[in-house]
Amino acid sequence: MLYAVGISQPHIAIGTGALAVSVNAYVNLIGHARKGHVWWRCAFVFAATGTVGALAGSTLGKAFDGHKLLFLFGLLMLVVAALMLRPRRTIASDVVKIDGLTCWKTAAVAIAAGAASGFFGIGGGFLIVPGLMLATGMPMINAVGSSLPAVGTFGLATALNYAASGLIDWAVAAEFIGGGVIGGFGGMLLATRLSTKRNLLNRIFAVLIIIVAFYVLYKSSAAILPL
């Protein structure tokens, strides 16, 4: 929104992006659900509890300097990428026991991810996917599918909060939603194919986060650091 589309105000970019990501997540959920990628119980727990954090985080984020917000966002992305690149133990079976403790762990991680999602004004997929994997031990392809209800809900909560302050460009949001539906369908097919190759999807995900993180840090540091 900021660096490619040219929206000049970070908060408008955040609100607009949150709305587009929310709608895209709900639409792309259909394809993942049909392929059986969604663990519904974990997905609902994550979405419901994390929304509380998203509302609180987005309220705080609106009051924070936009360029400093982006710089912190870049640092957070590097941390998440490093966690994704850590070797993971092999899960012997796709059937993982979902008990009360797992649900409590999922809820705790969801509140933290929701707060970060709202604060930084993102759908939070890059936080929710590793969060779900950490809390439940599910494979990444299932974490991708199960993240979508939470991504949609967190994004919607953030977008509504920003819309209340007039911080959404509705025309740009509509264009992003149209493109995101098409891109999401292709991405779902590619993720399904890559999920059969051990850890490859994790590594690609982490590398993309690192690339974007360094770019965000470079652009935002130029705005907040004295020359």
Side-chain angles (χ1 to χ4, degrees):
M1 291 288 181
L2 285 169
Y3 308 132
V5 177
I7 293 179
S8 59
Q9 298 183 41
H11 287 112
I12 293 180
I14 288 171
T16 304
L19 177 61
V21 166
S22 174
V23 176
N24 288 152
Y26 286 135
V27 172
N28 292 321
L29 173 62
I30 298 171
H32 281 277
R34 286 177 175 173
K35 289 186 174 293
H37 296 164
V38 183
W39 291 16
W40 291 104
R41 184 177 180 185
C42 293
F44 283 134
V45 169
F46 209 102
T49 55
T51 300
V52 177
L55 287 170
S58 59
T59 300
L60 180 61
K62 286 193 299 183
F64 204 83
D65 179 82
H67 293 292
K68 292 179 180 178
L69 200 64
L70 290 170
F71 188 81
L72 293 175
F73 176 50
L75 294 177
L76 177 63
M77 292 176 79
L78 290 178
V79 172
V80 172
L83 293 174
M84 290 298 297
L85 288 172
R86 288 192 312 170
R88 297 180 66 237
R89 62 182 180 84
T90 302
I91 299 175
S93 170
D94 285 347
V95 180
V96 179
K97 182 180 179 182
I98 304 300
D99 53 17
L101 177 60
T102 301
C103 286
W104 280 110
K105 287 171 58 181
T106 302
V109 174
I111 291 175
S117 173
F119 181 69
F120 293 109
I122 53 176
F126 86 98
L127 288 172
I128 298 168
V129 169
L132 281 167
M133 294 169 69
L134 172 66
T136 68
M138 66 174 65
M140 185 170 182
I141 188 61
N142 296 105
V144 171
S146 301
S147 73
L148 293 175
V151 171
T153 305
F154 294 178
L156 182 60
T158 301
L160 289 174
N161 207 339
Y162 274 72
S165 300
L167 296 173
I168 289 182
D169 186 320
W170 297 98
V172 173
E175 293 173 356
F176 260 74
I177 289 168
V181 170
I182 298 171
F185 177 75
M188 183 266 295
L189 296 177
L190 181 60
T192 301
R193 178 169 296 184
L194 291 176
S195 67
T196 60
K197 303 181 185 297
R198 183 185 176 190
N199 291 328
L200 179 60
L201 192 56
N202 300 46
R203 295 191 184 102
I204 292 174
F205 186 64
V207 169
L208 287 174
I209 291 175
I210 290 171
I211 293 171
V212 175
F214 276 115
Y215 188 74
V216 169
L217 287 171
Y218 168 72
K219 298 293 288 187
S220 59
S221 64
I224 65 175
L225 296 177
L227 297 177

